[in-house]
Amino acid sequence: MKKIALYVFAILFILAGISHFALEPFFTGAMPDWVPFRPAIVYISGVIEILLAIGLLYKPTRRKVGILIAIFLVLIFPVNIYMALEPEQYSIPAFALWLRLPLQFVLIWWVLKVRKVG
C-alpha cells in the first residue's frame, strides 16, 4: 500500500508539472501582477515538479527529494493564499480555492510519509 501511495503521489506531481505547460495562462494568472517573469516561473516550476517526482521514484534519492518536495510545497503556498483571497479573478468557486489551503498540508504530510518507502 505504501508503494502505491508513493507512485500515486509521483504521478500526481508529474501531472501537475505537465499542467504548467498545458495551462500556462492559468498559472501565470495565479500570481500577482507585480511578480516579474511570471511565465518563466510557471515553466521552471513545472520542470521542477517533474524532476522532483522522478527523483522521488528513485530509491537512492527518495528521502532527500521528499524533503525538497515538502519545501517546494511550502514555497508555493503563498500563491494558493493569493488565489483564495482573490477568488473573483478565477473561474474556480471560492470555496474550492479555500479548500486547497489545507490540502497543501495533506500533500506535505503525504510526501513526508512516502519518502520513507523502502
Side-chain angles (χ1 to χ4, degrees), residues 31-110:
M31 291 183 273
D33 290 336
W34 55 265
V35 174
F37 313 112
R38 291 182 304 153
I41 292 170
V42 169
Y43 292 132
I44 291 167
S45 63
V47 169
I48 289 170
E49 287 182 0
I50 293 166
L51 292 176
L52 288 172
I54 292 168
L56 190 64
L57 292 171
Y58 186 56
K59 189 175 178 180
T61 60
R62 184 172 299 145
R63 286 187 174 264
K64 289 180 182 175
V65 169
I67 296 292
L68 292 175
I69 291 173
I71 292 168
F72 180 82
L73 290 169
V74 169
L75 292 174
I76 63 170
F77 191 67
V79 173
N80 293 345
I81 293 171
Y82 174 79
M83 289 179 72
L85 293 173
E86 303 286 338
E88 64 280 350
Q89 294 186 33
Y90 308 99
S91 58
I92 300 171
F95 77 90
L97 295 172
W98 284 100
L99 282 176
R100 287 179 64 204
L101 300 179
L103 176 62
Q104 201 83 353
F105 295 105
V106 172
L107 292 174
I108 291 168
W109 170 83
W110 187 358

Side-chain angles (χ1 to χ4, degrees), residues 9-20:
F9 186 94
I11 289 168
L12 290 175
F13 224 64
I14 288 170
L15 292 174
I18 292 170
S19 71
H20 282 68

